[in-house]
Amino acid sequence: MTETAKLQLNNLIPLPFAQLYIKIPTGLKTLPSGAQLVGGLIYSFSGEIDKDGVYSTICRTRKAMKDRLFLSLSTLSRDIAKLIANGFISRLSRDEYIFNRNKLKTPDEFTRIEFKEIAAIMDGCTRVQGVRLRVFAFFNTRCNNDKKCSEPETEKLRKEHKIEASYSDIASAVGCSERQAIRAVKWLLKHDYIHRPEKDKGTSITDKSVYALDRAYWRRKKRKEQTPDEPEQTPEQQAETARQTWLNEVRDRAVSESDRNNKIAQRNKRYNEARKRIVELDVKIAYAELYDPEKAVKLEAERERWVSEETAALKKLGLTVELLDEEYLFNLYSNGGAPPESVKNVVVGEQNNK
């Protein structure tokens, strides 16, 4: 495959992420919401050192990142520029980044949120609700904390998957105003993302509210949402359902990319002429093979010349014949796509030059 085709494929292939969640470092809380999310994504998949002293990097197109974080392309580009300007990330090549963890004062402190939770919270929103996501990540991390605490009251809450916090505590932790924290908490309560019984509602900054995000509560919520006609699936059935859903998405993407590439090619006069000649010669060759084998050989040579012309025309457009075929794209995507790998060794970048 040509270098041009590889470059084109790297922009089309929806590479999966190695884990289902991102970690947002608390050291980014002074940045805007979108920059925190983008920084968390790059932090979660890059900047770790292996036994040979080489740092991992993340290779993703901007489209792949914006689709995962529900950001517009312009917002994502501004956020990446801001992260680079502040030294948190380095851009190593066109779609390759590394998080410079030495820039964080507290590298081990972060909040965690899953991609599916980002999708659920953003569903129906007309703009990025970054504060909601960060506040939910705050509760999600602290209510599911496995680190033991020496303070008896805090340890008791931890075991019950609960946390005691005021609005000012939340605002300070996620880097937003108290007013924004209040709005976010009320929205999360209304939509059952967090749980606060009336008896646990605080009355002042010293008498703080107690919030829950306990696993038992989420299990009860999931069972309640299931209808009697829809029994709970086994893990194997869930995996198969998820796979079929994914394959349908891959098929839709392959069809869409194939249509787009064909439209680009069909606007090119050189390609159209070559394609027309190839189709005509296919018919003539099929007839000649039955009645005039010598003529068929000559026609095959002419056809090869027009195939070369077609290939050259597509190359000028950054395409190949394969990229016009939806079955080729479907098989490519469903088998994991093509390089770059999700994690690869590099010898450049701020971390690797240390």
Side-chain angles (χ1 to χ4, degrees):
M1 186 178 293
T2 66
E3 290 300 316
T4 304
K6 286 182 180 179
L7 181 62
Q8 182 74 11
L9 284 172
N10 291 343
N11 287 328
L12 300 180
I13 295 166
L15 294 170
F17 288 92
Q19 59 198 31
L20 301 176
Y21 59 87
I22 65 172
K23 298 180 288 189
I24 306 173
T26 56
L28 300 178
K29 69 180 184 179
T30 57
L31 298 179
S33 297
Q36 289 191 41
L37 291 172
V38 177
L41 180 72
I42 297 174
Y43 170 86
S44 301
F45 298 96
S46 72
E48 291 188 340
I49 188 170
D50 64 14
K51 62 181 180 180
D52 298 320
V54 178
Y55 287 82
S56 61
T57 65
I58 178 174
C59 288
R60 290 295 184 278
T61 62
R62 296 196 178 196
K63 184 180 186 306
M65 289 193 282
K66 84 176 183 65
D67 288 346
R68 273 303 196 178
L69 300 178
F70 292 83
L71 299 170
S72 68
L73 195 58
S74 58
T75 299
L76 178 71
S77 299
R78 284 196 301 269
D79 292 333
I80 289 176
K82 191 175 288 292
L83 287 162
I84 292 174
N86 283 273
F88 288 114
I89 67 172
S90 295
R91 185 180 182 187
L92 306 182
S93 62
R94 177 175 176 176
D95 294 316
E96 184 178 14
Y97 305 88
I98 184 172
F99 196 99
N100 302 314
R101 300 193 177 203
N102 60 319
K103 294 292 183 180
L104 296 173
K105 295 180 180 178
T106 54
D108 296 325
E109 294 184 17
F110 56 83
T111 56
R112 167 178 160 164
I113 187 168
E114 294 187 13
F115 287 122
K116 65 179 181 181
E117 291 164 342
I118 295 175
I121 292 174
M122 290 302 298
D123 185 33
C125 295
T126 56
R127 59 189 179 86
V128 179
Q129 301 295 332
V131 176
R132 290 178 188 170
L133 294 171
R134 285 152 50 202
V135 170
F136 177 75
F138 167 84
F139 285 117
N140 193 24
T141 304
R142 286 158 179 78
C143 291
N144 290 320
N145 181 17
D146 293 326
K147 293 182 180 179
K148 292 184 177 180
C149 181
S150 57
E151 190 176 326
E153 286 298 320
T154 305
E155 177 62 12
K156 181 182 176 183
L157 289 172
R158 185 193 71 81
K159 287 182 177 179
E160 296 174 349
H161 303 291
K162 296 180 179 180
I163 181 177
E164 184 180 61
S166 65
Y167 290 128
S168 59
D169 293 335
I170 298 167
S172 176
V174 304
C176 67
S177 69
E178 192 168 327
R179 184 180 177 186
Q180 288 176 314
I182 292 170
R183 287 203 302 265
V185 168
K186 287 183 176 179
W187 189 91
L188 292 168
L189 285 168
K190 179 181 178 182
H191 291 81
D192 289 336
Y193 286 101
I194 59 177
H195 183 49
R196 184 189 65 194
E198 192 63 31
K199 64 183 179 62
D200 290 336
K201 186 176 181 181
T203 57
S204 66
I205 196 170
T206 54
D207 179 24
K208 301 179 181 181
S209 296
V210 176
Y211 299 91
L213 198 77
D214 60 287
R215 295 179 178 91
Y217 170 74
W218 284 102
R219 285 197 296 270
R220 290 195 300 273
K221 184 176 183 293
K222 184 177 179 179
R223 284 197 297 269
K224 184 178 178 182
E225 290 174 347
Q226 289 178 333
T227 63
D229 297 330
E230 185 183 352
E232 188 171 353
Q233 291 183 320
T234 64
E236 293 77 12
Q237 290 172 329
Q238 290 175 350
E240 181 58 26
T241 300
R243 173 172 170 74
Q244 290 303 320
T245 301
W246 176 74
L247 284 174
N248 289 336
E249 292 174 353
V250 171
R251 171 66 70 182
D252 291 342
R253 184 177 182 86
V255 171
S256 174
E257 297 291 357
S258 172
D259 288 345
R260 188 192 72 172
N261 293 339
N262 273 284
K263 287 177 181 176
I264 292 172
Q266 288 164 9
R267 289 197 294 265
N268 183 273
K269 291 182 179 179
R270 183 182 180 187
Y271 167 80
N272 283 333
E273 179 64 20
R275 177 98 300 257
K276 178 183 175 183
R277 296 285 187 176
I278 291 169
V279 172
E280 290 174 350
L281 286 166
D282 284 339
V283 176
K284 292 179 180 179
I285 289 169
Y287 183 83
E289 284 176 343
L290 294 174
Y291 301 104
D292 192 347
E294 291 185 5
K295 184 178 181 181
V297 173
K298 294 179 181 178
L299 292 173
E300 281 284 2
E302 185 180 354
R303 184 183 185 281
E304 285 299 318
R305 183 173 67 82
W306 283 109
V307 168
S308 298
E309 178 70 5
E310 178 189 47
T311 301
L314 289 173
K315 185 177 179 180
K316 283 282 188 181
L317 301 172
L319 296 171
T320 65
V321 174
E322 292 86 355
L323 292 179
L324 308 182
D325 182 3
E326 70 178 64
E327 284 302 319
Y328 171 83
L329 291 173
F330 174 74
N331 291 330
L332 181 71
Y333 295 173
S334 59
N335 287 320
E341 302 293 341
S342 58
V343 176
K344 57 188 267 191
N345 292 337
V346 296
V347 292
V348 292
E350 181 176 337
Q351 294 281 19
N352 288 317
N353 282 335
K354 290 174 65 177

